[in-house]
Amino acid sequence: MEFANSEEYRSRIKQILITEDQIKAELKKAGEIINAAYDGSPILLVSILKGAYVFLADLSRQVTVPCEIGFMAAKSYFEDTNSSGKVQITMDLTQDISRYHVFIIEDIIDTGRTLNELLKILSVRNPLSLQVITLLDKPDRRIVDLKADYSLFTIPDYFVIGYGLDYGEYYRNLPYIAEFEN
Ligand code: IMP
Ligand code: MG
């Protein structure tokens, strides 16, 4: 992916859907969900790279109970029309999650297929509990029956960029969430 110049780069940001202030307000509430889960056992916030890195950084700073951070990366292979597929973990957690209440911190749930497979992989490791917090939910596109335990924003079927989400690896660093001009 290449842009002719910075004008072209900026012109593909079609419209801002969710502002920095709106995100900030919702982060507080999501942080409280994590704080409320603390019962003396450690909490592990797991981010699936790369899309959730900004959300994890901001959300984790709303957490006031003992928590650790973990990262995973995965590659998925799906037949186009098939809901089940293979997910290969390319980077794994270092923690033994049977000691933790685990929160998966996601950028967006779209078809839900990748997260569905990851949840299966993580649940056989017997965490004390396993919950999903997603920044964005695009329910119109769902292929597998999967619902986050907590979702900050529900959006229509737009391709979105910013606040961690990319188009061709660009725009992750935008401080807001915008619709991408195709
Ligand atoms: P799925 O839920 O298995 O379809 O995969 C969701 C992943 O696709 C997300 O974690 C994103 O990396 C990517 N994705 C889905 N929708 C968008 C979008 O609108 N913008 C940018 N990335 C997206
Ligand atoms: Mg992702």
Side-chain angles (χ1 to χ4, degrees):
M1 171 91 220
E2 298 219 350
F3 297 95
N5 49 49
S6 57
E7 286 302 308
E8 192 202 323
Y9 169 80
R10 282 194 292 270
S11 72
R12 305 289 288 272
I13 304 170
K14 189 171 176 183
Q15 57 161 331
I16 295 178
L17 293 175
I18 306 169
T19 65
E20 279 186 81
D21 283 347
Q22 287 174 304
I23 297 171
K24 231 177 235 162
E26 292 300 318
L27 278 173
K28 267 204 169 38
K29 297 186 216 164
E32 278 157 19
I33 305 259
I34 298 171
N35 293 335
Y38 186 62
D39 64 3
S41 298
I43 286 176
L44 179 63
L45 306 181
V46 176
S47 171
I48 318 294
L49 295 171
K50 306 176 191 169
Y53 81 102
V54 178
F55 181 38
L56 174 72
D58 282 351
L59 178 58
S60 63
R61 282 177 285 180
Q62 300 292 331
V63 175
T64 55
V65 298
C67 79
E68 290 181 35
I69 308 292
F71 293 100
M72 289 181 87
K75 262 190 192 151
S76 19
Y77 309 87
F78 294 105
E79 307 266 335
D80 259 2
T81 53
N82 202 333
S83 63
S84 70
K86 279 212 162 61
V87 168
Q88 186 198 345
I89 296 176
T90 54
M91 181 180 141
D92 208 344
L93 296 166
T94 53
Q95 292 92 345
D96 167 7
I97 66 172
S98 65
R99 297 176 41 238
Y100 296 86
H101 290 294
V102 175
F103 285 88
I104 299 185
I105 310 301
E106 258 292 25
D107 52 352
I108 186 166
I109 306 181
D110 187 32
T111 67
R113 294 190 295 190
T114 310
L115 186 56
N116 192 48
E117 294 301 314
L118 277 169
L119 284 171
K120 287 185 207 164
I121 293 169
L122 291 179
S123 49
V124 299
R125 298 183 187 175
N126 288 316
L128 297 177
S129 65
L130 183 57
Q131 292 193 59
V132 176
I133 296 184
T134 188
L135 173 67
L136 302 173
D137 188 7
K138 232 196 251 184
D140 295 350
R141 297 244 318 157
R142 202 74 94 251
I143 288 177
V144 297
D145 183 23
L146 191 153
K147 210 174 171 300
D149 295 281
Y150 191 76
S151 165
L152 280 65
F153 302 96
T154 299
I155 59 164
D157 184 13
Y158 295 151
F159 193 85
V160 294
I161 51 173
Y163 204 75
L165 291 130
D166 73 305
Y167 175 78
E169 293 298 327
Y170 290 97
Y171 301 104
R172 292 190 194 276
N173 54 315
L174 295 178
Y176 47 78
I177 295 160
E179 183 184 359
F180 180 71
E181 174 76 73
N182 266 300

